[in-house]
Amino acid sequence: MAGVKEKAAEGQGRLMPLLVAAVCLGLLGLPVAVWFDLSALTEQMLRQQANETGRLINDVRGFYATEVVDRVLKADRPVSVTHDFRTTPGAIPIPATLSIELGRRISDRDGAMRYRFVSDLPFRNREAQTLDTFQRGALDALRAAHPEARKPVVEVTGSIFDRQVRIASPIVMGPVCVACHNSHPLSPKNDWAVGDVRGIQEIAIRQPIEANIFAFKFLLAYLVLAASAGLAVILLQGRQARLIRAMNRELATANDFLASISLKIAKYLPPQIYRRIFSGEKDVVVQTERKKLTIFFSDIKDFTASTERLQPEELTALLNEYFTEMAAIAERHGGTIDKFIGDAMLVFFGDPETLGVKGDARACLAMAVEMQRRLEQLNAAWRRRGIEIPFRARMGINTGYCNVGNFGSDDRMDYTIIGAEANLAARLQMIAEPGGIMLSFETYAQVRDVVRATPQPPIRMKGISREIVPYAVEGLAGDLAADATVISEHAAGLDLFIDLGALDDAAAERARRRLAEALQALDARGARPSAA
């Protein structure tokens, strides 16, 4: 366990610097990387725009030099402006023709920019143009819009690998254009008005995404570092998790071991003391206190003779069964089982839990009565199992002050009571009848409202200067009397056991009939003359 803890602490010590570094990297590295990448991307875009603009200017200058200036210088007649300038000597193109020709030159090159002059109403001698969906939609939208509300129509398309932006701007008819088109014989329309949209000029710019991937090299580097740090943290966390699981397994094993040990130890301690020790309410130190307790002592009559009649295995089984039943009754009534002494049993009431002096005495008396009843039931069961003379117990109860607590040394101690009052309880059971309960006057005074008892001749006991008047319990009264439901008598030729609480109405009726038959048989036996 110690090795696992050391490994876990070592792993935690390695993990913390990485976590701090990862947080710092996240807080500082990301904005720095984005700033550098934005600067590089801006520079790249400016360079690209400058290159495209320079190419566009070169195309315009080249067209102007060859198709305008050169034709003017070579003209042998006055220069004219016409759409069919190539077939007309000394002619130069009109603006619409200029736009169409420039569009061809610009678009023929393998560049990112495309330019087209598009109209659905070209002159009749020109090749008809095929408009795609975007161009047709843009033309309809611009013509339908109010002149002051016309704005370029934009479309963005592409895939995950490239993007394309198309911008369509209106070609608006001016006064000169209107006059020309309305009078020209090849014009498809002769009712143009100033402000009408004749067509559109479309600029399309395509940009492959992969061209800008490495513009984010700093961000990529940041992500690689962050991923590496995250992977390292995950690996360390996995190692920590494995160590923690190993610790949990060891702890579970240790807990199971301790639980099994505690359950075994609990069998050597009174339940009340066991619970208080393991809950932390009671310290395990040599310490006693003086309390008024009710002490119970029981002993099996003629136990030595039983040891001679029974085999050791049978005797052990019977004694263990007897103590198991008596201990369960004691615990049920709140008694603290001090010890088992051979066939004797010492129980006291009033520590560590108490019902008050009167309540403790009544609980002890109720326990003793239930023990005697249960013992009668056990005797009946043992007889059915072949035990000829089962156990009969004598019980004594006394109430008085005793020292109670932990006695012994710092290394070995016992939770018990000492005092003359405990010895008196043992003396009282010695003078009790088998199956009977003997009370001291101090106990009788606490329970006299629930018990019928008769005083016995006084006795003297070493350590106690006064005479002790014992009281033999004859029966119960009050609340406890309702529980007197067992009738038992055993002798040679007699085996009687009736548990009234266990009989239903039908069983009670059968018992009445059988008892009546038994009485008749006894009466007949008494009336029969004796043999001469």
Side-chain angles (χ1 to χ4, degrees):
M1 174 68 75
V4 174
K5 290 183 178 179
E6 292 176 359
K7 291 180 180 179
E10 180 182 356
Q12 190 69 22
R14 295 177 180 176
L15 181 62
M16 288 305 298
L18 286 177
L19 289 176
V20 173
V23 171
C24 294
L25 180 65
L27 294 177
L28 301 177
L30 181 59
V32 172
V34 170
W35 175 262
F36 284 143
D37 284 335
L38 287 177
S39 299
L41 182 61
T42 301
E43 179 181 352
Q44 180 177 338
M45 292 179 65
L46 290 175
R47 289 177 180 274
Q48 185 176 354
Q49 291 175 6
N51 291 334
E52 291 295 332
T53 303
R55 187 172 68 85
L56 179 60
I57 292 174
N58 288 335
D59 289 337
V60 173
R61 185 174 61 247
F63 182 82
Y64 179 77
T66 57
E67 303 298 341
V68 178
V69 175
D70 187 59
R71 294 181 69 83
V72 170
L73 294 177
K74 292 180 179 180
D76 55 357
R77 65 187 70 184
V79 177
S80 61
V81 179
T82 178
H83 69 281
D84 192 17
F85 71 97
R86 295 187 187 279
T87 60
T88 305
I92 60 176
I94 60 177
T97 303
L98 174 63
S99 298
I100 293 173
E101 295 296 331
L102 284 177
R104 290 173 179 169
R105 285 203 173 198
I106 294 172
S107 301
D108 287 343
R109 293 193 178 186
D110 186 15
M113 182 183 293
R114 298 288 188 272
Y115 173 81
R116 289 189 65 191
F117 184 94
V118 180
S119 176
D120 58 345
L121 297 171
F123 278 9
R124 294 187 182 92
N125 63 335
R126 289 182 178 170
E127 182 180 354
Q129 296 178 329
T130 301
L131 279 63
D132 59 22
T133 303
F134 169 72
Q135 293 167 343
R136 172 56 64 185
L139 192 57
D140 293 342
L142 292 172
R143 284 175 176 169
H146 190 275
E148 295 181 357
R150 291 172 182 156
K151 295 181 179 179
V153 179
V154 180
E155 179 189 64
V156 180
T157 59
S159 64
I160 61 174
F161 301 106
D162 61 359
R163 307 297 288 174
Q164 178 176 267
V165 178
R166 301 172 70 183
I167 302 176
S169 302
I171 305 298
V172 181
M173 300 290 286
V176 176
C177 295
V178 170
C180 175
H181 280 261
N182 287 342
S183 61
H184 200 286
L186 298 178
S187 176
K189 182 177 178 181
N190 303 111
D191 57 350
W192 292 101
V194 176
D196 287 348
V197 177
R198 182 195 174 196
I200 59 172
Q201 59 178 6
E202 175 195 352
I203 298 177
I205 301 177
R206 178 180 174 275
Q207 180 66 58
I209 292 178
E210 63 270 13
N212 295 321
I213 287 180
F214 293 103
F216 297 94
K217 53 183 177 294
F218 294 102
L219 183 59
L220 291 174
Y222 166 82
L223 293 176
V224 170
L225 291 176
S228 301
L231 181 60
V233 170
I234 291 173
L235 294 175
L236 288 177
Q237 287 284 30
R239 182 174 180 271
Q240 287 291 97
R242 290 191 296 273
L243 290 175
I244 291 173
R245 286 195 295 270
M247 291 176 61
N248 288 337
R249 286 193 296 269
E250 292 186 10
L251 287 174
T253 303
N255 287 338
D256 292 341
F257 174 75
L258 292 176
S260 65
I261 291 298
S262 66
L263 290 177
K264 294 176 182 178
I265 293 175
K267 297 182 181 297
Y268 294 90
L269 296 174
Q272 302 92 328
I273 301 301
Y274 168 79
R275 289 193 294 266
R276 290 169 68 88
I277 290 176
F278 279 85
S279 65
E281 299 179 22
K282 189 174 184 65
D283 291 331
V284 184
V285 295
V286 177
Q287 182 180 4
T288 64
E289 53 184 328
R290 190 165 178 79
K291 285 187 176 182
K292 193 169 188 178
L293 307 175
T294 295
I295 305 102
F296 167 90
F297 198 96
S298 71
D299 184 74
I300 297 175
K301 175 72 168 61
D302 295 331
F303 182 74
T304 303
S306 297
T307 60
E308 296 174 355
R309 292 192 306 270
L310 299 175
Q311 294 298 320
E313 294 81 6
E314 290 180 319
L315 182 64
T316 301
L318 287 179
L319 191 60
N320 287 339
E321 185 177 357
Y322 165 75
F323 278 139
T324 298
E325 295 290 339
M326 299 303 108
I329 295 172
E331 184 177 353
R332 191 159 54 245
H333 286 272
T336 300
I337 301 175
D338 188 321
K339 58 177 66 70
F340 301 107
I341 311 169
D343 60 313
M345 182 177 183
L346 177 60
V347 182
F348 58 87
F349 289 76
D351 188 79
E353 301 169 355
T354 181
L355 300 173
V357 176
K358 191 177 187 69
D360 291 337
R362 293 189 62 167
C364 185
L365 176 61
M367 177 196 72
V369 171
E370 185 177 351
M371 284 180 173
Q372 290 288 18
R373 293 173 185 162
R374 182 56 182 155
L375 183 55
E376 292 292 343
Q377 296 171 352
L378 290 174
N379 283 335
W382 290 338
R383 282 189 177 88
R384 289 192 295 269
R385 283 156 51 181
I387 307 300
E388 179 183 2
I389 304 177
F391 296 158
R392 300 193 72 190
R394 301 175 300 194
M395 300 180 180
I397 302 175
N398 179 39
T399 299
Y401 282 94
C402 294
N403 288 332
V404 58
N406 294 326
F407 292 85
S409 67
D410 291 337
D411 298 326
R412 176 75 179 271
M413 61 188 67
D414 188 18
Y415 179 81
T416 187
I417 59 173
I418 60 173
E421 304 297 339
N423 297 332
L424 177 56
R427 178 69 182 275
L428 289 173
Q429 70 84 19
M430 292 175 64
I431 63 175
E433 292 294 330
I437 303 171
M438 192 70 70
L439 309 177
S440 69
F441 174 78
E442 287 76 6
T443 303
Y444 175 72
Q446 302 295 333
V447 300
R448 64 196 316 163
D449 57 334
V450 295
V451 68
R452 297 191 311 274
T454 57
Q456 305 295 310
I459 62 173
R460 284 190 173 276
M461 180 178 169
K462 184 178 180 180
I464 299 179
S465 59
R466 70 184 188 279
E467 284 189 340
I468 305 300
V469 178
Y471 284 77
V473 175
E474 293 181 348
L476 298 175
D479 297 337
L480 297 179
D483 295 333
T485 60
V486 176
I487 301 172
S488 177
E489 187 64 37
H490 305 281
L494 174 62
D495 192 356
L496 175 63
F497 177 81
I498 301 176
D499 187 350
L500 299 178
L503 294 177
D504 55 18
D505 293 341
E509 183 61 30
R510 289 196 302 272
R512 290 189 189 97
R513 291 197 302 267
R514 296 298 295 172
L515 289 173
E517 294 171 359
L519 288 173
Q520 292 176 1
L522 288 172
D523 292 341
R525 180 180 183 277
R528 190 167 57 238
S530 59

